[in-house]
Every structure is written in C-alpha cells, then in structure tokens.
Amino acid sequence: MSGPALSLHPTISALVETAVRLAESQLWRCHEDRLAKLRKSAEHLVAAVKGPLLVVDDHGWVALHAGVPARDRIAVPRPDTTLTIPGMGICLPERLREGWLVRPATGARCITAVLKLQG
C-alpha cells in the first residue's frame, strides 16, 4: 500500500496485516504438505534402514526421524558433503527422489580442526 500517511484509513493497516497473515499461513500449509508427501514416500526407509536416520527436504527441514531425537531443521544437505548432526555424529547425505536420507557415515571419517593462536 502506498500513499500519503495522512490519508491512510486505520482499517487499511488492519487489512494489510490480515493479508500478510493469510499469505504466511498458506505458505506454511504448502510447506507442511510437501513434508507430509516426503514423509509418506520415505516411510519404507524406517523399516529397511537400521540405526538412526533423518529424512529431510532440499532445505533441511526434517520430515521423518528414527533413532534420534526430533529436530525441526538441519544444515542444507549437499552431495558428497558431510554434515555433523548432534546425536548422530558425522553423516553423509544420500539423495532421494524428493529429499535426502541422512544417516551416520560408514567407515572412518573424522573432523580435523586447526587452532591458530597467532593473529
């Protein structure tokens, strides 16, 4: 909305706030629908995969979890890039058709950090 501030009717502000809340709720509903679809398509993984796992969408939102405390979101998965997930350790995401399977990496993987004390 635009125009001179003195000519702005008080109900216009309420109308704009209501429109914003409506748009936000629609976006959240679409987000929840996408997570539900991903959850349904990946249910078979929970039965087939042993150990902790997360199924996440392309933005890191958790759709399904097993063997690990529930989380809302993790770092955005990328191919061939390890993630560190509390409760799971070092994980290597695996691409699914509609998201990512995140589970602890197999084999010897470690994180190396170097502390430099000089400025």
Side-chain angles (χ1 to χ4, degrees), residues 10 13 16-17 21 36-40 48 51 55 64 68 70 73-75 78 81 83 91 98-100 113-114:
S13 176
V16 170
E17 289 175 15
R21 279 192 224 112
K37 183 179 176 185
L38 177 57
R39 190 176 302 115
K40 186 170 176 75
V55 176
L64 186 64
V68 66
R73 198 170 186 193
I74 64 168
R78 287 179 283 174
T81 302
L83 298 170
C91 302
E98 297 172 349
W100 296 86
V114 176

Side-chain angles (χ1 to χ4, degrees), residues 5-75:
L6 295 176
S7 66
L8 183 65
H9 194 276
T11 58
I12 297 297
S13 176
L15 176 66
V16 170
E17 289 175 15
T18 302
V20 167
R21 279 192 224 112
L22 180 60
E24 288 174 341
S25 69
Q26 290 286 72
L27 288 171
W28 190 255
R29 186 176 303 130
C30 289
H31 168 74
E32 288 294 328
D33 289 346
R34 282 193 311 271
L35 288 181
K37 183 179 176 185
L38 177 57
R39 190 176 302 115
K40 186 170 176 75
S41 71
E43 284 177 339
H44 67 283
L45 291 174
V46 175
V49 175
K50 302 293 183 208
L53 65 87
L54 297 172
V55 176
V56 301
D57 69 3
D58 289 328
H59 305 286
W61 289 96
V62 176
L64 186 64
H65 63 92
V68 66
R71 306 182 60 82
D72 289 336
R73 198 170 186 193
I74 64 168

